[in-house]
Amino acid sequence: MATFFGEVVVAPSRAGLDEEEEAREETPEDREIRREIEKKRLLCGSFPREVDVLWTWKSGGCAEEPLVCSRFIVAIGRNAAAFLSSFILDSVCWEVVGVVKLWNEWCRTSSTTNVLPTDSFCLFYRLISDPTVLLCQCSCYVAEDQQFQWLEKVFGSMQKKGLQVTILSTCPVADYKTQESTLTLASPFLKALKTKEFQEPVCCPLLEQPNIVRDLPAA
C-alpha cells in the first residue's frame, strides 16, 4: 500500500504465475479477454508471442553474467523516444548494445539478428564514457500479455543492486485530470512518480490524484 499519493508500488500480478496456477484461477472474463486477443492476432497472421532480448555487449565479456548497470533510462512511446533522440542520443557518446524483438497485432519486428535503428525495435544504448549507464528507446507497441516478458527479460539481464531506473513516457493533455481547464495549461508539462527508495530531489512536481500511469510505463 502506498504511503503517499504518487509513490510507485508493486501491485499483485498474475502475469508471472505458472500455467497450472493460471488455469486454475482464470475467470470467465479472463478467458473472454484471452479469446479477443487471439482473434486480433489471427487476423494479423501467425507469429510468436515471445519477447527476445539480444545483447551485442556484455560486461566482462561473459554472456552469463548480468550487466553491471548504475542508471537505466527507459523512454517508452514515440514522443519520449524522439526526446531521447533529439536531446541525448544526438552525439557520438552512445553506442547501440542491444535490442528487443517482438511480434504482436501492432508491431512486427524483423527476423534479422542485426541491430539497426528502426521504429520497430526497442533499442539499448550505453554511454561510452561510463558503460554502466544504459538507455532504452522503446517506440514500438508492447502488448498487454507481453509486458511481463519484456520486464522479466530486460531486467533479468541486469544486476539489481544499486540500480536506479528512470521511466520517460507521455500522454495527451486531454487525459490529464485537473480542476482547472486544460486549455489554460502550459503544454507540454512534466510530472513525476517515484518510489520511497528514491531519496534524491525530484526535478518536477509529483503527479496529482486521480491521475495514473498505464501500460508498460506502469508495469
Side-chain angles (χ1 to χ4, degrees):
M1 184 175 181
T3 56
F4 62 91
F5 182 81
E7 179 184 356
V8 178
V9 296
V10 179
S13 173
R14 297 172 55 233
L17 299 180
D18 57 43
E19 293 181 359
E20 181 180 352
E21 187 174 357
E22 184 177 6
R24 184 170 61 250
E25 295 186 4
E26 191 175 49
T27 65
E29 291 80 9
D30 293 332
R31 289 192 290 271
E32 181 62 26
I33 292 173
R34 192 182 300 277
R35 282 195 295 268
E36 290 300 321
I37 292 176
E38 293 297 335
K39 286 179 183 178
K40 288 183 180 179
R41 294 189 168 185
L42 286 173
L43 292 175
C44 297
S46 176
F47 51 86
R49 299 170 64 170
E50 289 293 318
V51 175
D52 294 319
V53 179
L54 305 176
W55 296 98
T56 61
W57 163 80
K58 281 282 188 178
S59 59
C62 180
E64 299 299 325
E65 295 181 2
L67 293 169
V68 177
C69 185
S70 60
R71 291 180 181 266
F72 183 41
I73 302 173
V74 188
I76 301 174
R78 293 185 180 277
N79 291 332
F83 175 83
L84 280 190
S85 295
S86 300
F87 296 99
I88 298 179
L89 294 173
D90 190 19
S91 68
V92 295
C93 300
W94 303 86
E95 63 177 343
V96 176
V97 294
V99 65
V100 174
K101 294 170 56 179
L102 52 84
W103 280 40
N104 55 51
E105 55 268 31
W106 295 107
C107 173
R108 296 189 181 193
T109 59
S110 170
S111 59
T112 179
T113 57
N114 294 330
V115 179
L116 297 173
T118 170
D119 284 342
S120 297
F121 284 122
C122 296
L123 286 172
F124 297 97
Y125 300 82
R126 72 166 175 172
L127 186 62
I128 295 176
S129 60
D130 184 358
T132 67
V133 178
L134 297 181
L135 299 181
C136 176
Q137 196 176 30
C138 182
S139 56
C140 65
Y141 172 72
V142 181
E144 290 86 349
D145 60 333
Q146 294 176 321
Q147 291 172 9
F148 177 78
Q149 277 194 68
W150 196 98
L151 295 169
E152 185 180 47
K153 294 189 176 181
V154 170
F155 286 97
S157 304
M158 302 177 184
Q159 68 170 20
K160 309 300 187 299
K161 185 177 180 180
L163 173 61
Q164 184 182 105
V165 181
T166 302
I167 309 296
L168 304 176
S169 65
T170 61
C171 68
V173 175
D175 292 345
Y176 180 63
K177 297 176 178 62
T178 178
Q179 292 183 346
E180 62 180 297
S181 172
T182 55
L183 297 176
T184 63
L185 292 174
S187 181
F189 57 88
L190 189 64
K191 300 288 183 176
L193 294 173
K194 70 182 186 72
T195 62
K196 60 184 178 181
E197 286 79 11
F198 185 82
Q199 300 298 325
E200 298 180 17
V202 181
C203 65
C204 61
L206 294 178
L207 187 66
E208 309 93 340
Q209 298 187 51
N211 295 284
I212 61 173
V213 176
R214 297 180 174 85
D215 302 321
L216 187 58

